[in-house]
Amino acid sequence: MNLIITLYIAFNISDVTQNGSLQIRLDELQPVIDFAAPAEYILFLGLIITMASIDWDLKENEASHSSD
C-alpha cells in the first residue's frame, strides 16, 4: 500500500503539492487507496494460505515418519 501511494505521489508530485489543504490532498489520493487497500488484503490472505500449506506439509511429513 505504501509503495503504490509513493509511486503515485512520485509521478504526480506537481498535482499533489499544488493544493494547500490536507483534505484536498487526501481526496486526490483516494483512488490510489481504493486500489491499494484490497491488494493489501489479498497479500494477507496469500500469506495465511502459505502458512497453512506449510503446516499441512509438516503434518504429512510427521505422519510418514511415525509410520516407518
Side-chain angles (χ1 to χ4, degrees):
M1 185 170 172
N2 291 335
L3 177 65
I4 293 172
I5 292 172
T6 303
L7 287 173
Y8 176 81
I9 291 173
F11 287 114
N12 300 307
I13 192 73
S14 62
D15 295 338
V16 175
T17 58
Q18 195 173 41
N19 300 321
S21 171
L22 178 62
Q23 180 65 36
I24 293 172
R25 289 181 194 162
L26 292 176
D27 287 343
E28 290 175 358
L29 290 175
Q30 190 59 46
V32 178
I33 294 170
D34 290 343
F35 175 76
E40 192 170 336
Y41 283 111
I42 292 170
L43 174 66
F44 175 73
L45 287 174
L47 293 173
I48 295 298
I49 291 169
T50 301
M51 290 178 7
S53 70
I54 291 171
D55 184 46
W56 292 329
D57 289 340
L58 290 176
K59 286 180 182 177
E60 288 177 6
N61 193 14
E62 288 175 7
S64 67
H65 284 296
S66 64
S67 64
D68 289 342

